[in-house]
Amino acid sequence: VVAKCRKCLSPGENLDTIATSLSSDWRLLWSANPSILNPSSVSGGRLIKTSLTYSVAQGDSLATIAMRFGTTVRALLAINPDLALEASLGTGTVVCVLPMPTSLDGCPTLAKSSTWEKMEEQYIAPDYYDNPFNWEEITYDAQGMPVKTRNPDYPQLPASAIGEEPGYSTRVA
């Protein structure tokens, strides 16, 4: 009798064939079996772990376990034929867990940012108004020489110009 979440390889089976039958990747099976030093040398007759094991905690459901391990409820049911979708999981129940290979191959999608966010919702570095590029406007005279003038869009003087700590100054020009 082979324990749950394990498989005895038949002749001709290897990590790749088992992973394919589990809709997984051989690298996940290899990482679940630290005693396998060379994944190419695995042959029939060897007992391997087919997944990680998770002991159910109070309040867990198939959905929360799937979310925690980056898989789906359908995938959990496929590798745990003894579990049913409607059945409640008892504390301490052992569940075989095999994360989805796609969840391991990439970074999570970043939330899209908008340049149309309200100013109060945008992060502004504390020294933003101390930067001369923000509070000075550079124009050019007839000879092409730069001329600095106060930027009317930034009425606040830089704090460093009036002897205050970096950040927003309390006085206006």
Side-chain angles (χ1 to χ4, degrees):
V1 175
V2 177
K4 186 173 182 172
C5 309
R6 296 178 185 270
K7 177 169 179 35
C8 188
L9 295 181
S10 300
E13 286 185 318
N14 57 35
L15 293 182
D16 192 43
T17 58
I18 298 301
T20 302
S21 72
L22 296 171
S23 300
S24 186
D25 187 278
W26 68 269
R27 296 173 293 176
L28 287 170
L29 293 182
W30 188 30
S31 67
N33 292 278
S35 64
I36 298 175
L37 301 177
N38 182 352
S40 302
S41 67
V42 178
S43 58
R46 179 151 188 178
L47 183 66
I48 65 163
K49 292 180 186 175
T50 56
S51 62
L52 305 171
T53 55
Y54 175 73
S55 184
V56 174
Q58 187 173 353
D60 277 342
S61 67
L62 287 175
T64 59
I65 295 169
M67 198 176 335
R68 179 177 296 141
F69 289 96
T71 189
T72 63
V73 172
R74 182 176 293 174
L76 286 177
L77 290 171
I79 62 173
N80 292 280
D82 57 320
L83 298 179
L85 184 59
E86 299 83 22
S88 63
L89 299 173
T91 303
T93 302
V94 174
V95 177
C96 300
V97 179
L98 196 57
M100 299 290 265
T102 54
S103 68
L104 303 176
D105 288 341
C107 295
T109 306
L110 297 175
K112 292 185 178 181
S113 178
S114 171
T115 56
W116 299 104
E117 293 169 323
K118 295 177 186 172
M119 184 59 97
E120 59 270 11
E121 293 175 3
Q122 295 181 19
Y123 172 75
I124 298 176
D127 62 346
Y128 179 78
Y129 289 105
D130 281 347
N131 187 337
F133 290 108
N134 295 324
W135 60 272
E136 292 177 336
E137 191 170 61
I138 300 174
T139 56
Y140 297 91
D141 62 17
Q143 288 81 32
M145 299 302 291
V147 177
K148 291 182 182 178
T149 57
R150 192 172 147 299
N151 186 344
D153 294 330
Y154 293 92
Q156 225 170 346
L157 288 172
S160 58
I162 56 174
E164 293 183 6
E165 290 294 315
Y168 301 105
S169 66
T170 55
R171 295 184 240 166
V172 293

